[in-house]
Amino acid sequence: MIFHRFILGSFVTNCYLVADKDTKNAILFDAPADADKILDYLKKNDLTLKKVFLTHSHFDHILALQEVIDATKAELFLHKDEEKYLKNPELNLVAEHCDKLNTPESYQLLSDGDELPLDSINIKVIHTPGHTQGSTCYFVNDILISGDTLFAGSIGRTDFPLGSFDNIINSIKTKLMLLDDETKVYPGHGFSTTIGKQRKENPFLI
Ligand SMILES: [Zn+2]
Ligand SMILES: [Zn+2]
């Protein structure tokens, strides 16, 4: 599996691209900013972007979404509880940070436990409400894309509209902590880590 991390935008947001190394079909997790950097990478590596999955719809994860979708015609996926955030500038914080943001009209809604294979890549949807109601982590073959739910040494903020501290803790403890210690975790901000390290060291979980 091809794996690449982009660090994009003024909120220093991680965005991950995975691709099948034989078919060159690619999947993107979030589209934070700088669409040209994402599109250049696809072109240089001869990759075809097929799907974009959102970990959640806060503005710092979707600023380049419309441009990336327009340029690639990739299918967009997000959790069903996140749909209201995508269109609502108060909920997705666009109102606070930018003038206006166009977002795609066409997308497919996900539920907890959905599995979406693409060639050699399997994506399993893990609904982890708390940071937002539709926050989602994706188990991709054997790694975890954790969005703004679980960070190295921290967890996502829950003081945004409709956030819930109890829910995020419950999501992490009852869903993410079921994964093996060796599972690599790739968060929406900051460094990568492992489930085992967070189980032992994350101050919100011990
Ligand atoms: Zn967020
Ligand atoms: Zn974020």
Side-chain angles (χ1 to χ4, degrees), residues 64-119:
L65 189 58
Q66 183 80 59
E67 208 177 328
V68 168
I69 297 277
D70 283 349
T72 61
K73 310 289 176 240
E75 288 179 287
L76 174 62
F77 297 83
L78 69 160
H79 190 273
K80 56 182 165 41
D81 295 346
E82 201 64 14
E83 185 182 16
K84 57 178 173 285
Y85 290 80
L86 188 64
K87 297 283 168 201
N88 184 324
E90 304 294 330
L91 288 182
N92 63 26
L93 312 174
V94 163
E96 214 180 297
H97 294 277
C98 2
D99 293 340
K100 190 181 180 298
L101 182 68
N102 289 327
T103 56
E105 294 298 331
S106 160
Y107 44 79
Q108 296 183 45
L109 298 175
L110 300 167
S111 298
D112 187 50
D114 284 353
E115 297 207 31
L116 297 101
L118 176 70
D119 304 329

Side-chain angles (χ1 to χ4, degrees), residues 41 48 53 64 67 71 86 99 127 131 145 150 155 157 165-166 172 183 190 193 196:
Y41 183 88
T48 307
F53 288 86
E67 208 177 328
L86 188 64
D99 293 340
H127 179 216
H131 178 66
I145 308 288
L150 181 62
I155 61 170
R157 285 174 61 174
F165 182 79
D166 289 347
I172 295 170
T183 308
T193 181

Side-chain angles (χ1 to χ4, degrees), residues 13 56 60-61 131 148 189:
T13 306
H56 63 301
D60 61 318
H61 296 253
H131 178 66
D148 285 4
H189 302 272

Side-chain angles (χ1 to χ4, degrees), residues 17 31 44 47 85 118 124 128 140 152 173 204:
L17 185 137
K44 275 197 192 108
L47 300 172
Y85 290 80
L118 176 70
K124 189 171 177 198
T128 51
V140 183
K173 287 191 172 169
F204 292 93

